[in-house]
Amino acid sequence: MREIARVKDAALGFFDSGVGGLTVVRAVQDLLPGEDLVYLGDTARLPYGSKSAETIRKFAQEDVDFLLSKGVKAIVVACNTATAHALPEFWKDCPVPIMGVIAPGVEAALADAGTERIGIIATRGTIDSHAYQHALAKERRGLRIYGEATPLLVPLIEEDWVSEEVTKEVLRKYLAPLLDRGIDTLMLGCTHYPLLVPVLREILPADVRLIDSATTCAEHLKRMLEEKGLLKEGDGEGVLQIHLTDLSEQFEELAKRFLRRPTGRVRRAVVG
Ligand code: DGL
């Protein structure tokens, strides 16, 4: 009995190439405020989006090992690129439950029976892996799925240029081929992109549905913890620990913006 209580009290682990995954952490804090969270951002080795599948798998394994060394009870791969390239590898051997951001997004996109034409924007690595395309096609036949690599968006978001005209221009150019194909749903396939939602709402026709994987991921995580009897009990407030593999003032500032609340002391992590 005491053993089970101890596991329930352990923290949840999250990792991303940088601070983008904090959008997922924020959604989890809102939904599960009592849980302790450990976040690893591999800022020394980002971006993952332009790297090979082999390199991303190696990095992701090292990130998972870091979180396991912190005694986490479950892991969320809060990075679309790492989920796309590495998640199936981990299902087999990971000693704790592990989930990514793609399955929750797919579930949310298909929750509407009317969804027929889906656009996905993401890093080049995620789009080229076809992970979203395969996951969607497996769930529903006859879908029209269009992926668009949007590599300029992460740097624009990190520069805090989200509301600048140049970002709107870049978005219009990226979205034009998807809108020409009459998409009814746009999936944000990168953990940085929830910060673009207000601008996307300005640019997109009102009838295009936006799927942001941060919120759906938090809901998915809650269900998974319930099913496995791992939800923390009691009503104390959870603690968040942020670890970054490269610590700089810029990353600390960015982390605050992504989390939209104080980050506490950010620690330097050594992985690999
Ligand atoms: N956060 C990563 C993702 O969700 C994108 C940033 C990167 O390229 O490292 O794919």
Side-chain angles (χ1 to χ4, degrees), residues 209-254:
R209 269 201 326 143
L210 267 183
I211 302 293
D212 143 14
S213 54
T215 329
T216 51
C217 186
E219 287 157 5
H220 212 269
L221 174 66
K222 185 175 180 210
R223 275 208 312 275
M224 183 180 90
L225 295 173
E226 275 165 356
E227 276 164 26
K228 298 194 183 290
L230 286 175
L231 269 181
K232 191 171 171 186
E233 283 156 13
D235 42 32
E237 204 178 310
V239 175
L240 167 66
Q241 257 186 42
I242 300 179
H243 302 258
L244 301 180
T245 52
D246 181 59
L247 254 190
S248 67
E249 230 170 84
Q250 194 217 346
F251 282 129
E252 290 203 43
E253 273 313 302
L254 262 179

Side-chain angles (χ1 to χ4, degrees), residues 16-18 20-21 46-50 78-82 123 126 154 189-192:
D16 180 33
S17 56
L46 65 72
Y48 283 9
S50 52
C79 172
N80 285 267
T81 312
T123 65
T126 299
V154 167
C190 174
T191 48
H192 276 65

Side-chain angles (χ1 to χ4, degrees), residues 65-116:
D65 289 344
F66 174 86
L67 292 173
L68 290 174
S69 77
K70 299 285 168 202
V72 298
K73 63 181 172 185
I75 293 176
V76 177
V77 184
C79 172
N80 285 267
T81 312
T83 304
H85 286 300
L87 198 57
E89 308 268 309
F90 294 141
W91 285 122
K92 296 184 270 112
D93 302 323
C94 192
V96 299
I98 182 164
M99 58 170 279
V101 275
I102 293 183
V106 165
E107 194 182 291
L110 300 182
D112 186 330
T115 302
E116 282 175 2

Side-chain angles (χ1 to χ4, degrees), residues 80 120-127 132 148-151 187-190 193:
N80 285 267
I120 306 150
I121 53 171
T123 65
R124 206 175 289 291
T126 299
I127 295 297
Y132 268 100
E148 192 69 32
T150 48
M187 299 185 73
L188 307 186
C190 174
Y193 297 176

